[in-house]
Amino acid sequence: MLRAPRAVPAWLAHPFRWQRLPVPWAAVARGALCAGPLLAAGIATGHVAPGVLSALGSMLAGVNDRPGTRRTGIVHIGLPALATAFGMLIGASLRTADAGWWTVPALFAVGFLSGAGSVAGPVRSNAGMQMLAAAILGAGMPLPGAPWEKALFVLAGCLWLLLLRLVVRSPRPAGGALSGERAAVATVFDALADALGAVGGPGAEPARRRLTAALDRADEALRLRRLTSRLLRRSAPTEEILLTERFAAATALCEASVALLWEARPLPSRVADSPRRFAEALRTGGSPGRLSAPETSTPARGAFDQALLDAAVVFARREPLPAAPRQPTPAAAGRPAWMTVPGAVLQGALGAVGGRTRRGRGLFGPAGRDYGLRVAVCIATSAAVALLLRPEHWYWLPATTTFLVKPDLGPLFSRTVNRFAGTVAGVLLFAGAGLVPAGAWWPAVVAGAGGALLPFATRHFALQTVAITLMVLSFVYVSGAHEAAAERVVDTSIACGIVLVVGHLPRLADPRRRVGHRVTSALHGTEEYLRHVLESEPGADPTRRLALRRAAYRALGEARAAAETTAAELLAARDRNPDWLTVVTAAERIVDAATACAVRLDHGAHRPSVAEAEGLCQALSAMADALEDPRRRSAGPPGPDLLPVPDCATLTDVVAEVERIRGYAGAP
């Protein structure tokens, strides 16, 4: 008898995963113009230390040079740049003070702050990681200069990359100053067309997730645009208001498309063509042309065609609708204008970088403390070992640990394997480049090649490690450490061992602490959206409903990313934890079904009773609490017994998914 082939474990297969992404040619050009030329300028002028520090800053900024609008680039690069300069100031101050072994507790504190920042969103997580890396390099690299000078040189290198980001970019489509925002909204329509084409097939749910991600990116771009207008105290131009209205039309279309996804009936190709016409109209500034003929065979199809007609009306307008006057909140009514704007700007900036904390889960909440403790222990251990082994050149070991232990960068085992492989490959390439007769300039050439490779290297962590290793070895070589390449391999091996041991300690590796809070937040967001759908009156303004749906999907996206990382971890405690991916998938289907329910209720479907609606919401909320705290499961499955809601197929699906989650929340 032939045996069925065994599936490769996720923790073993993950190191070989490769992301399929388009080549960011503009970012490649910026990378080539950053570290290499800055290092070459330092060599040419005889100011090696400033050249190395500015090239180091541009390298760290290049890690954050991702696709997006100019304003998102300013946030994604600028905030980590400030943190990097601050970290260099801390590290250089420790070196100037000759802190010695006091460096270990100092890095423990910086590592704790860096790890705790991982719960606040990807931008602030990157800022914390680069602050920690700069503090280690500042404390260990033997470069002359005052601490404030080193910090300024690092900041100058970051700002050089940011300047290139504003100058060297892809060809601008039609749209002038709003080209990036227009492209982001056009991507939403393209993703919507892809989702409609996948209705009824196996790719429907992944297409819906890509659509949600496109909505998040477009929403971030437009919020940053509005934030800039408020910061400059100027009114939004007509083009910006029109684009906001078109994004609102796209959001309404997406809601109807989710209802079509729930119905799971394949659609004619002409239905998916209409959103693509809107995308092309945004890119070219023209008209969308003829759209698909309306059809009302189902409530979801009728809602989609109505939203399509509304979108056509929005695109046909050349002047925005008059805005309703905004009423000041009671707290702000007695304040002068100069006091209210900074607060709004600060609030918008924190939201724009994806760092909304939910239900008290801030930097020093349970998740933040666990993240911070994991990073701090690994950094302090590696720094202590490095000071024992290499008191003169100890910084590489904890710097390597920094890029390994951050819990939001992927599975720990996968990162460790890829880091070691990438370091070995980078060392070999650097050694090979040193054999080529190119005079004193060859390290700058290698640094430029590494900078050009860095944007492309986001496809795989090992490739990214190769690029960073080439650049750092160039900096170290120019600084005078010509025999450092072999030491890097040994130090990387030690760092990988420390991270694998310390990072898998029971308390630090418990996925409930690292994933549970995100899943709980997602379930609470799902419950809030479901409650609003079931309790809102017919004909109510859909703005609040759309905002809650977007918030629920955004929280579910964060929870899915954390659950996928945990599923690929090498954990002994895996069997004692829920299947987080199954829970997240069930919650996503609840939001999909609730969206379809909202569309059907708008078209006169049966409305559930107050008791039925309250029972569903309470059960979902109780299970979220049970998943967050296992002690709440001792009394048995949470919530009342649920029965399918009569005459409402969408809520029958909600009940089924709630029961699926209950199987995990109530399990012993």
Side-chain angles (χ1 to χ4, degrees):
M1 180 182 295
L2 295 177
R3 294 183 179 180
R6 293 183 179 180
V8 178
W11 62 269
L12 192 58
H14 192 277
F16 301 97
R17 292 182 183 176
W18 181 279
Q19 296 187 43
R20 299 181 180 272
L21 300 171
V23 179
W25 292 112
V28 169
R30 291 191 294 267
L33 295 174
C34 269
L38 291 174
L39 188 60
I43 296 173
T45 59
H47 296 85
V48 174
V52 169
L53 290 170
S54 58
L56 175 64
S58 68
M59 181 195 74
L60 294 175
V63 176
N64 303 314
D65 189 8
R66 302 297 175 87
T69 66
R70 288 180 297 172
R71 286 170 179 79
T72 57
I74 291 174
V75 173
H76 293 172
I77 297 174
L79 183 61
L82 295 175
T84 301
F86 182 65
M88 178 57 67
L89 181 64
I90 295 174
S93 299
L94 290 172
R95 182 171 184 84
T96 301
D98 195 17
W101 282 94
W102 286 105
T103 304
V104 175
L107 291 181
F108 181 92
V110 178
F112 182 86
L113 292 176
S114 173
S118 300
V119 304
V123 175
R124 277 177 279 184
S125 176
N126 290 336
M129 180 180 65
Q130 294 188 0
M131 177 185 68
L132 176 58
I136 294 170
L137 295 175
M141 291 185 72
L143 294 174
W148 64 270
E149 290 178 334
K150 294 181 180 180
L152 285 180
F153 285 131
V154 169
L155 183 61
C158 297
L159 295 180
W160 171 246
L161 186 279
L162 187 57
L163 177 63
L164 290 176
R165 173 65 184 255
L166 300 177
V167 175
V168 182
R169 56 182 185 271
S170 302
R172 172 180 291 184
L178 284 168
S179 60
E181 288 79 4
R182 285 183 183 276
V185 178
T187 303
V188 173
F189 283 104
D190 282 333
L192 174 58
D194 293 338
L196 292 173
V199 169
E205 287 192 6
R208 198 264 304 143
R209 296 186 193 112
R210 291 192 294 270
L211 174 59
T212 300
L215 281 166
D216 288 341
R217 289 191 294 268
D219 183 49
E220 179 188 20
L222 290 175
R223 281 191 287 115
L224 283 173
R225 180 79 189 193
R226 292 193 297 269
L227 175 62
T228 303
S229 298
R230 297 184 69 180
L231 183 62
L232 299 177
R233 303 296 302 275
R234 63 175 176 81
S235 58
T238 300
E239 293 80 8
E240 181 179 336
I241 300 175
L242 283 173
L243 184 60
T244 302
E245 292 180 354
R246 292 173 179 180
F247 176 67
T251 304
L253 264 174
C254 291
E255 182 181 55
S257 72
V258 171
L260 289 173
L261 289 171
W262 176 84
E263 288 185 346
R265 298 178 181 177
L267 301 171
S269 59
R270 65 178 184 274
V271 176
D273 289 340
S274 296
R276 295 199 192 278
R277 292 179 181 272
F278 287 127
E280 187 65 21
L282 278 170
R283 293 189 174 99
T284 62
S287 171
R290 298 181 62 182
L291 305 175
S292 61
E295 181 184 329
T296 56
S297 56
T298 66
R301 184 63 192 275
F304 178 81
D305 287 328
Q306 181 60 50
L308 198 66
L309 178 61
D310 294 340
V313 172
V314 172
F315 271 75
R317 281 202 300 265
R318 292 296 176 262
E319 293 293 332
L321 294 175
R326 298 180 60 184
Q327 299 295 330
T329 60
R335 301 177 187 168
W338 65 269
M339 292 182 64
T340 59
V341 171
V345 168
L346 178 60
Q347 183 180 6
L350 293 178
V353 297
R356 292 183 178 89
T357 55
R358 298 176 179 87
R359 300 182 183 273
R361 293 171 179 82
L363 297 181
F364 300 104
R369 290 196 301 269
D370 288 339
Y371 275 52
L373 186 62
R374 183 184 190 185
V375 174
V377 171
C378 287
I379 292 297
T381 303
S382 60
V385 172
L387 285 170
L388 284 173
L389 297 178
R390 307 186 194 279
E392 297 297 328
H393 303 284
W394 59 270
Y395 55 88
W396 183 270
L397 203 158
T400 300
T401 303
T402 299
F403 293 98
L404 284 176
V405 75
K406 286 286 284 184
D408 54 334
L409 295 180
L412 185 60
F413 178 80
S414 176
R415 293 201 309 274
T416 303
V417 171
N418 287 322
R419 180 73 184 187
F420 179 79
T423 299
V424 172
V427 167
L428 293 177
L429 288 174
F430 185 82
L435 299 177
V436 178
W441 299 96
W442 71 270
V445 176
V446 173
L453 177 64
L454 193 57
F456 177 82
T458 55
R459 300 161 180 256
H460 197 274
F461 189 62
L463 190 58
Q464 188 179 48
T465 302
V466 171
I468 292 177
T469 300
L470 288 173
M471 299 172 77
V472 173
L473 287 177
S474 300
F475 305 156
V476 173
Y477 187 91
V478 171
S479 302
H482 294 174
E483 305 297 330
E487 295 180 358
R488 300 300 174 253
V489 177
V490 176
D491 289 349
T492 299
S493 303
I494 297 173
C496 291
I498 291 174
V499 170
L500 282 176
V501 173
V502 178
H504 283 104
L505 292 177
R507 176 179 175 83
L508 302 182
D510 186 1
R512 186 177 299 279
R513 295 180 175 275
R514 294 189 289 114
V515 185
H517 74 285
R518 296 188 184 276
V519 176
T520 300
S521 295
L523 290 179
H524 280 302
T526 301
E527 181 265 333
E528 190 175 2
Y529 172 64
L530 178 63
R531 183 181 296 276
H532 181 83
V533 167
L534 299 181
E535 294 181 356
S536 60
E537 296 295 329
D541 185 6
T543 304
R544 171 67 175 166
R545 185 176 78 197
L546 294 176
L548 288 174
R549 182 175 65 85
R550 292 290 320 288
Y553 275 134
R554 186 181 295 112
L556 286 167
E558 296 174 0
R560 172 168 286 277
E564 288 175 345
T565 297
T566 298
E569 290 280 15
L570 177 61
L571 294 172
R574 187 189 306 274
D575 295 336
R576 298 196 297 270
N577 285 273
D579 185 347
W580 299 108
L581 275 175
T582 300
V583 175
V584 173
T585 300
E588 289 174 340
R589 290 173 179 169
I590 289 175
V591 177
D592 290 348
T595 301
C597 179
V599 171
R600 293 165 67 90
L601 291 177
D602 289 342
H603 286 72
H606 168 76
R607 182 170 293 275
S609 66
V610 175
E612 292 168 338
E614 187 64 24
L616 277 174
C617 296
Q618 285 185 358
L620 194 56
S621 179
M623 285 181 290
D625 294 335
L627 282 171
E628 182 180 29
D629 186 356
R631 291 172 296 182
R632 302 185 187 183
R633 297 184 297 169
S634 58
D641 292 335
L642 300 175
L643 297 175
V645 180
D647 302 325
C648 189
T650 52
L651 291 188
T652 299
D653 280 2
V654 171
V655 171
E657 299 302 332
V658 168
E659 292 290 358
R660 184 191 300 271
I661 300 175
R662 169 177 284 179
Y664 294 101

